[in-house]
Coordinates of all heavy atoms in Angstrom, one line a residue:
S145 N 13.6 10.4 -6.5 CA 14.5 11.5 -7.0 C 15.8 11.5 -6.2 O 16.8 12.1 -6.6 CB 13.8 12.8 -6.9 OG 13.6 13.2 -5.6
G146 N 15.8 11.0 -5.0 CA 16.9 11.0 -4.1 C 17.2 12.3 -3.4 O 18.3 12.5 -2.9
K147 N 16.2 13.2 -3.5 CA 16.5 14.6 -2.9 C 16.2 14.6 -1.4 O 15.4 15.5 -1.0 CB 15.6 15.6 -3.7 CG 16.0 15.8 -5.1 CD 15.0 16.8 -5.8 CE 15.6 17.2 -7.1 NZ 16.7 18.1 -7.0
Y148 N 16.8 13.8 -0.7 CA 16.6 13.8 0.8 C 17.8 13.2 1.4 O 18.7 12.6 0.8 CB 15.4 12.9 1.1 CG 15.6 11.4 0.8 CD1 16.0 10.5 1.8 CD2 15.3 10.9 -0.4 CE1 16.2 9.2 1.5 CE2 15.5 9.6 -0.7 CZ 16.0 8.7 0.2 OH 16.1 7.4 -0.1
D149 N 17.9 13.4 2.8 CA 19.1 13.0 3.5 C 18.8 11.8 4.4 O 19.7 11.0 4.6 CB 19.6 14.2 4.4 CG 20.3 15.3 3.6 OD1 20.9 14.9 2.5 OD2 20.2 16.4 4.0
E150 N 17.6 11.8 5.0 CA 17.3 10.8 6.0 C 15.8 10.4 6.0 O 15.0 11.3 5.7 CB 17.8 11.3 7.3 CG 17.7 10.3 8.5 CD 18.3 11.0 9.8 OE1 19.5 10.9 9.9 OE2 17.5 11.5 10.6
I151 N 15.5 9.1 6.4 CA 14.2 8.7 6.5 C 14.0 8.1 7.9 O 14.8 7.3 8.4 CB 13.8 7.6 5.5 CG1 14.1 8.1 4.0 CG2 12.4 7.2 5.6 CD1 14.0 7.0 3.0
E152 N 12.9 8.5 8.5 CA 12.5 8.0 9.8 C 11.2 7.3 9.7 O 10.1 7.9 9.3 CB 12.4 9.1 10.9 CG 12.1 8.6 12.3 CD 12.0 9.8 13.3 OE1 13.1 10.2 13.8 OE2 10.9 10.3 13.5
I153 N 11.1 5.9 10.0 CA 9.9 5.1 9.8 C 9.4 4.7 11.2 O 10.1 4.2 12.0 CB 10.2 3.9 9.0 CG1 10.8 4.3 7.7 CG2 9.0 3.0 8.8 CD1 11.4 3.1 6.9
T154 N 8.1 5.0 11.5 CA 7.5 4.7 12.7 C 6.5 3.6 12.4 O 5.6 3.7 11.6 CB 6.7 5.9 13.3 OG1 7.7 7.0 13.5 CG2 6.1 5.5 14.7
T155 N 6.7 2.4 13.1 CA 5.8 1.3 13.0 C 5.3 1.0 14.4 O 5.8 1.5 15.4 CB 6.4 0.1 12.4 OG1 7.6 -0.3 13.2 CG2 6.9 0.4 11.0
E156 N 4.3 0.1 14.4 CA 3.7 -0.3 15.7 C 4.0 -1.8 15.9 O 3.7 -2.6 15.1 CB 2.2 -0.1 15.7 CG 1.5 -0.3 17.1 CD 0.0 0.1 17.0 OE1 -0.8 -0.8 16.6 OE2 -0.3 1.2 17.3
N157 N 4.6 -2.2 17.1 CA 4.9 -3.6 17.4 C 3.7 -4.3 17.9 O 2.6 -3.7 18.0 CB 6.1 -3.7 18.3 CG 5.8 -3.1 19.7 OD1 4.7 -2.9 20.1 ND2 6.9 -2.8 20.4
E158 N 3.9 -5.6 18.3 CA 2.7 -6.4 18.7 C 2.1 -5.9 20.0 O 0.9 -6.2 20.3 CB 3.2 -7.8 18.9 CG 3.6 -8.5 17.5 CD 4.1 -9.9 17.8 OE1 4.2 -10.4 18.9 OE2 4.4 -10.6 16.7
Q159 N 2.9 -5.2 20.8 CA 2.3 -4.6 22.0 C 1.7 -3.3 21.8 O 1.3 -2.6 22.8 CB 3.5 -4.5 23.1 CG 4.0 -5.8 23.6 CD 4.8 -6.6 22.6 OE1 5.6 -6.0 21.9 NE2 4.6 -7.9 22.5
G160 N 1.6 -2.8 20.6 CA 1.0 -1.5 20.3 C 1.9 -0.4 20.6 O 1.4 0.8 20.8
I161 N 3.2 -0.6 20.7 CA 4.2 0.5 21.0 C 4.9 0.9 19.8 O 5.3 0.1 18.9 CB 5.2 0.0 22.1 CG1 4.5 -0.4 23.4 CG2 6.2 1.1 22.4 CD1 5.4 -1.1 24.4
D162 N 5.0 2.2 19.6 CA 5.7 2.7 18.4 C 7.1 2.3 18.4 O 7.8 2.5 19.5 CB 5.5 4.2 18.3 CG 4.2 4.7 17.9 OD1 3.4 3.8 17.5 OD2 3.9 5.9 17.8
E163 N 7.7 1.9 17.3 CA 9.1 1.7 17.1 C 9.6 2.5 15.9 O 8.9 2.6 14.9 CB 9.3 0.2 16.8 CG 9.0 -0.7 18.0 CD 9.4 -2.2 17.7 OE1 9.6 -2.5 16.5 OE2 9.5 -3.0 18.6
I164 N 10.7 3.1 16.1 CA 11.2 4.1 15.1 C 12.5 3.6 14.5 O 13.5 3.2 15.3 CB 11.4 5.5 15.7 CG1 10.0 6.0 16.2 CG2 12.0 6.5 14.7 CD1 10.1 7.4 16.9
V165 N 12.6 3.5 13.2 CA 13.9 3.1 12.5 C 14.3 4.3 11.7 O 13.5 4.9 10.9 CB 13.7 1.9 11.7 CG1 14.9 1.6 10.9 CG2 13.2 0.7 12.5
T166 N 15.6 4.7 11.8 CA 16.1 5.8 11.0 C 17.1 5.2 9.9 O 17.9 4.4 10.2 CB 16.9 6.8 11.8 OG1 16.0 7.3 12.8 CG2 17.4 7.9 11.0
R167 N 16.9 5.7 8.7 CA 17.8 5.3 7.6 C 18.4 6.5 6.8 O 17.7 7.4 6.6 CB 17.0 4.4 6.6 CG 16.4 3.1 7.1 CD 15.7 2.4 6.1 NE 15.1 1.1 6.6 CZ 14.5 0.2 5.9 NH1 14.3 0.5 4.6 NH2 14.0 -0.8 6.4
K168 N 19.7 6.4 6.5 CA 20.3 7.4 5.7 C 19.9 7.2 4.2 O 19.4 6.1 3.9 CB 21.8 7.4 5.9 CG 22.3 7.8 7.3 CD 22.0 9.2 7.7 CE 22.6 9.6 9.0 NZ 22.2 11.0 9.4
N169 N 20.1 8.2 3.4 CA 19.9 8.0 2.0 C 21.0 7.2 1.4 O 22.1 7.7 1.0 CB 19.8 9.4 1.3 CG 19.5 9.3 -0.2 OD1 19.5 8.2 -0.7 ND2 19.3 10.4 -0.9
N170 N 20.8 5.9 1.3 CA 21.8 5.0 0.8 C 21.3 3.9 -0.2 O 21.5 2.8 -0.1 CB 22.5 4.3 2.0 CG 21.6 3.4 2.8 OD1 20.4 3.5 2.6 ND2 22.1 2.7 3.8
N171 N 20.4 4.5 -1.0 CA 19.8 3.7 -2.1 C 18.9 2.6 -1.6 O 18.8 1.5 -2.3 CB 21.0 3.1 -3.0 CG 21.8 4.1 -3.7 OD1 21.2 5.1 -4.1 ND2 23.1 3.9 -3.7
N172 N 18.3 2.7 -0.5 CA 17.3 1.7 0.0 C 15.9 2.2 -0.1 O 15.0 1.7 0.5 CB 17.6 1.3 1.5 CG 17.5 2.5 2.4 OD1 17.0 3.6 2.0 ND2 17.9 2.4 3.6
S173 N 15.7 3.2 -1.0 CA 14.4 3.8 -1.1 C 13.3 2.8 -1.6 O 12.1 2.9 -1.3 CB 14.4 5.0 -2.0 OG 14.8 4.7 -3.3
E174 N 13.7 1.8 -2.4 CA 12.7 0.9 -3.0 C 12.1 0.1 -1.8 O 10.9 -0.3 -1.9 CB 13.4 -0.1 -4.0 CG 13.7 0.6 -5.3 CD 12.6 1.3 -6.0 OE1 11.5 0.6 -6.2 OE2 12.7 2.5 -6.3
Q175 N 12.8 -0.2 -0.8 CA 12.3 -0.9 0.4 C 11.2 -0.1 1.1 O 10.1 -0.6 1.5 CB 13.4 -1.3 1.4 CG 14.4 -2.2 0.8 CD 15.6 -2.4 1.8 OE1 15.5 -2.0 3.0 NE2 16.7 -3.0 1.3
V176 N 11.5 1.2 1.2 CA 10.5 2.1 1.8 C 9.3 2.3 0.9 O 8.2 2.4 1.4 CB 11.2 3.5 2.1 CG1 10.2 4.4 2.8 CG2 12.5 3.3 2.9
I177 N 9.5 2.3 -0.4 CA 8.3 2.5 -1.3 C 7.4 1.3 -1.2 O 6.2 1.4 -1.2 CB 8.9 2.7 -2.8 CG1 9.5 4.1 -2.9 CG2 7.7 2.5 -3.7 CD1 10.2 4.3 -4.1
R178 N 8.0 0.1 -1.1 CA 7.2 -1.1 -0.8 C 6.4 -1.0 0.5 O 5.2 -1.4 0.5 CB 8.0 -2.4 -0.8 CG 8.6 -2.8 -2.2 CD 9.1 -4.2 -2.2 NE 10.2 -4.4 -1.3 CZ 11.5 -4.2 -1.7 NH1 11.8 -3.8 -3.0 NH2 12.5 -4.4 -0.9
L179 N 7.0 -0.4 1.5 CA 6.3 -0.2 2.8 C 5.2 0.8 2.6 O 4.1 0.6 3.1 CB 7.3 0.3 3.8 CG 6.9 0.3 5.2 CD1 6.5 -1.0 5.8 CD2 7.9 1.0 6.1
I180 N 5.4 1.8 1.8 CA 4.4 2.8 1.6 C 3.2 2.2 0.9 O 2.0 2.4 1.3 CB 4.9 4.0 0.7 CG1 5.9 4.8 1.5 CG2 3.8 4.8 0.1 CD1 6.6 5.9 0.7
K181 N 3.4 1.3 -0.1 CA 2.3 0.7 -0.8 C 1.6 -0.3 0.1 O 0.3 -0.4 -0.1 CB 2.9 0.0 -2.1 CG 3.4 1.0 -3.1 CD 3.9 0.2 -4.4 CE 4.3 1.2 -5.4 NZ 4.8 0.6 -6.6
S182 N 2.2 -0.9 1.0 CA 1.6 -1.8 1.9 C 0.8 -1.1 3.0 O -0.1 -1.8 3.6 CB 2.6 -2.8 2.6 OG 3.3 -2.1 3.6
K183 N 1.1 0.1 3.2 CA 0.5 0.9 4.3 C 0.8 0.4 5.7 O 0.1 0.7 6.7 CB -1.1 1.0 4.1 CG -1.5 1.6 2.8 CD -1.2 3.1 2.8 CE -1.9 3.9 1.6 NZ -1.4 3.4 0.3
N184 N 1.8 -0.5 5.8 CA 2.1 -1.1 7.1 C 3.1 -0.3 7.9 O 4.2 -0.7 8.2 CB 2.7 -2.5 6.8 CG 2.7 -3.3 8.1 OD1 1.9 -3.1 9.0 ND2 3.6 -4.3 8.1
F185 N 2.6 1.0 8.2 CA 3.5 1.9 9.0 C 2.5 2.9 9.6 O 1.4 3.1 9.2 CB 4.6 2.5 8.2 CG 4.0 3.4 7.1 CD1 3.9 4.8 7.3 CD2 3.6 2.9 5.9 CE1 3.4 5.6 6.3 CE2 3.1 3.7 4.9 CZ 3.0 5.1 5.1
R186 N 3.0 3.7 10.6 CA 2.2 4.8 11.1 C 2.7 6.1 10.5 O 1.9 6.9 10.1 CB 2.4 4.8 12.6 CG 1.6 3.7 13.3 CD 1.8 3.6 14.8 NE 1.5 4.9 15.5 CZ 0.3 5.4 15.7 NH1 -0.8 4.7 15.2 NH2 0.1 6.5 16.3
F187 N 4.0 6.4 10.5 CA 4.5 7.6 9.9 C 5.8 7.3 9.2 O 6.6 6.4 9.6 CB 4.8 8.7 11.0 CG 3.6 9.1 11.8 CD1 3.3 8.6 13.0 CD2 2.7 10.1 11.2 CE1 2.3 9.0 13.7 CE2 1.6 10.5 12.0 CZ 1.4 10.0 13.2
I188 N 6.0 8.0 8.1 CA 7.3 8.1 7.4 C 7.7 9.5 7.3 O 7.0 10.3 6.7 CB 7.3 7.4 6.0 CG1 7.1 5.9 6.2 CG2 8.6 7.7 5.3 CD1 7.1 5.2 4.8
T189 N 8.8 9.9 8.0 CA 9.2 11.3 8.0 C 10.5 11.4 7.2 O 11.5 10.6 7.5 CB 9.4 11.8 9.4 OG1 8.2 11.8 10.1 CG2 9.9 13.3 9.4
I190 N 10.6 12.2 6.2 CA 11.7 12.4 5.3 C 12.3 13.7 5.5 O 11.7 14.8 5.4 CB 11.3 12.2 3.8 CG1 10.6 10.9 3.6 CG2 12.6 12.2 2.9 CD1 9.9 10.7 2.3
K191 N 13.6 13.7 5.9 CA 14.4 15.0 6.0 C 15.0 15.3 4.7 O 15.8 14.6 4.1 CB 15.5 14.8 7.0 CG 16.2 16.2 7.3 CD 17.4 15.9 8.2 CE 17.0 15.6 9.6 NZ 18.1 15.5 10.6
L192 N 14.5 16.5 4.1 CA 14.9 16.9 2.8 C 16.3 17.6 2.9 O 16.8 17.9 4.0 CB 13.9 17.9 2.2 CG 12.7 17.3 1.6 CD1 11.8 16.6 2.6 CD2 11.9 18.4 0.9

């Protein structure tokens, strides 16, 4: 729906340390949706 401003994605690297990537709402939501379906992340936080 695009009703958000920012996405913060937390993943775990090979050393077991959390890595955080922040993305603005710039039409890259399909990449995040693929990540959601793969479950290959720890947290996705969306700022509405």
Side-chain angles (χ1 to χ4, degrees):
S145 72
K147 290 178 170 290
Y148 65 93
D149 289 329
E150 188 175 274
I151 305 171
E152 184 180 273
I153 303 169
T154 304
T155 58
E156 188 177 84
N157 64 20
E158 294 179 355
Q159 289 74 40
I161 300 172
D162 284 355
E163 294 183 345
I164 299 176
V165 176
T166 301
R167 300 180 179 181
K168 297 292 185 182
N169 182 354
N170 59 355
N171 298 320
N172 60 10
S173 61
E174 290 302 310
Q175 298 172 12
V176 181
I177 290 169
R178 287 196 296 271
L179 189 63
I180 287 174
K181 291 181 178 181
S182 73
K183 300 290 192 296
N184 192 27
F185 64 95
R186 285 176 55 74
F187 298 98
I188 291 178
T189 300
I190 306 171
K191 182 185 292 184
L192 280 61

